[in-house]
Amino acid sequence: MSAPLPFASPDPWWRPGLRELRPGLADLVLEVAGTSVTEHDAEALLRHVCARLTELCGLTGCAAVLFDGSTGAVRTLVASHPEAEQLTRLVQQLGLGIGSAAIRAGRDWAIEDLTQSVRAGLAEAAQRVGLPATAVVALRGADELVGCLQLYSRALDTLAGGLLTELAPLADVLGTVLGNVESYRHSASLVASLTTALDRQGPIEQAKGMLAERHQVDLDTAYRMLREQAHRQATTVVAVAAELVNQSWRATGPMTEHTPVGEPRPRLEVPEQNGGELTAELSPSAATEAPLPEQRGGPAEVESHPAT
């Protein structure tokens, strides 16, 4: 006889009811509840749940669907076997049926006899693959519909005989986990986008400040100088800015503990306007070490349009 399941206190609403579930189903609920959103793939989790439900509940098939949060379209679809996946995809492609309409209207589940469906080709397809009866179970996270479970059986009685009530704890936990996974995925994507933006913007802001200080122009004019140089080189402003910052770093060198405090370090010299153009050059001591971005056979020239 297996040891009793540990129950923490205070309990979630569904935990006391786990003792009344069919063998194995309570373990599946606890397994899903312990899922780490940072380490677990939602698709792999759903595939595992579909396989276990088919085995534990005597189903002929099970599929799981995740909806896109902004459009409501199907984003992910996995199933216990190919026939269940194909039929579920057809159900979703044909639009709102009895089950889908019910869960989108706020119901927790709905049962449908697919052989009686009037949607084009669905009744025939359900008969052909041997999945005539289906139940749709809503998966909600933070009161938002994130997806659904599509259960298949050969008879409606299998789905209507208390099974859907038993699946309520699993649906609640799975919906919460999926909502958390989606929130984590969105946050990670946002952080990655912001990091990329900062990585791109950092050198540009540094280069603008350098040019503004050396040429006594405002930041908008400094940015136009970078943009015009990028246009002449057929490259990006980020590349031009990064090279200019790298030039300055190579020309001046980092301050170390061996650098005398009172001894000035060599710096990047940029002469004043010359004939309407700004010519960026290194001081003689650093020119051979740090060519400008454009320099291949001579110094690069950066046009300036001082602010009026």
Side-chain angles (χ1 to χ4, degrees):
M1 181 176 180
S2 60
L5 293 172
F7 294 102
S9 181
D11 291 335
W13 70 265
W14 45 263
R15 193 181 288 268
L18 294 185
R19 299 183 180 91
E20 303 173 4
L21 301 183
R22 65 188 65 198
L25 192 54
D27 293 330
L28 180 59
V29 174
L30 294 176
E31 180 183 352
V32 172
T35 299
S36 170
V37 298
T38 61
E39 300 177 358
H40 210 101
D41 176 54
E43 186 171 329
L45 173 64
L46 291 174
R47 197 177 301 278
H48 173 67
V49 169
C50 287
R52 291 291 289 148
L53 284 180
T54 301
E55 175 186 352
L56 295 173
C57 302
L59 302 173
T60 52
C62 177
V65 179
L66 285 183
F67 302 127
D68 185 275
S70 57
T71 65
V74 175
R75 192 182 77 232
T76 300
L77 195 160
V78 300
S80 57
H81 57 280
E83 291 79 9
E85 180 176 348
Q86 293 169 8
L87 188 58
T88 303
R89 198 172 298 280
L90 178 61
V91 168
Q92 295 297 327
Q93 288 175 350
L94 292 176
L96 292 180
I98 295 175
S100 297
I103 62 173
R104 290 183 185 276
R107 291 181 55 185
D108 292 331
W109 52 266
I111 299 175
E112 182 179 3
D113 183 353
L114 295 179
T115 62
Q116 303 300 315
S117 175
V118 296
R119 287 180 286 174
L122 183 56
E124 180 183 350
Q127 289 281 21
R128 185 173 62 253
V129 298
L131 304 172
T134 187
V136 181
V137 179
L139 301 176
R140 292 187 171 86
D143 296 326
E144 295 291 333
L145 184 66
V146 297
C148 68
L149 292 174
Q150 192 94 33
L151 313 178
Y152 293 102
S153 176
R154 299 189 185 281
L156 291 175
D157 291 344
T158 303
L159 302 173
L163 173 62
L164 299 180
T165 301
E166 285 191 74
L167 290 181
L170 176 64
D172 181 72
V173 172
L174 184 56
T176 300
V177 169
L178 291 173
N180 292 340
V181 169
E182 176 63 18
S183 297
Y184 178 81
R185 186 186 69 85
H186 177 73
S187 298
S189 176
L190 181 59
V191 169
S193 298
L194 292 175
T195 301
T196 301
L198 289 174
D199 289 343
R200 290 171 57 88
Q201 194 65 22
I204 294 177
E205 295 303 321
Q206 287 181 281
K208 283 166 55 179
M210 292 164 57
L211 292 175
E213 179 183 3
R214 291 169 190 161
H215 297 293
Q216 297 302 303
V217 295
D218 60 33
L219 292 177
D220 289 340
T221 301
Y223 180 75
R224 286 198 297 271
M225 294 166 65
L226 290 172
R227 189 174 58 189
E228 291 164 4
Q229 181 78 342
H231 179 71
R232 285 193 294 271
Q233 291 183 288
T235 185
T236 64
V237 173
V238 176
V240 172
E243 182 60 25
L244 183 59
V245 172
N246 289 338
Q247 281 185 48
S248 178
W249 179 253
R250 292 196 300 266
T252 60
M255 177 74 78
T256 69
E257 61 180 357
H258 303 296
T259 304
V261 175
E263 180 180 323
R265 295 177 295 169
R267 63 188 183 86
L268 187 64
E269 298 287 350
V270 183
E272 297 297 328
Q273 293 190 13
N274 179 18
E277 296 182 349
L278 294 177
T279 304
E281 296 178 340
L282 290 174
S283 60
S285 62
T288 59
E289 298 177 10
L292 282 173
E294 191 181 48
Q295 188 171 353
R296 294 297 180 270
E301 293 186 352
V302 183
E303 295 182 1
S304 171
H305 302 281
T308 58

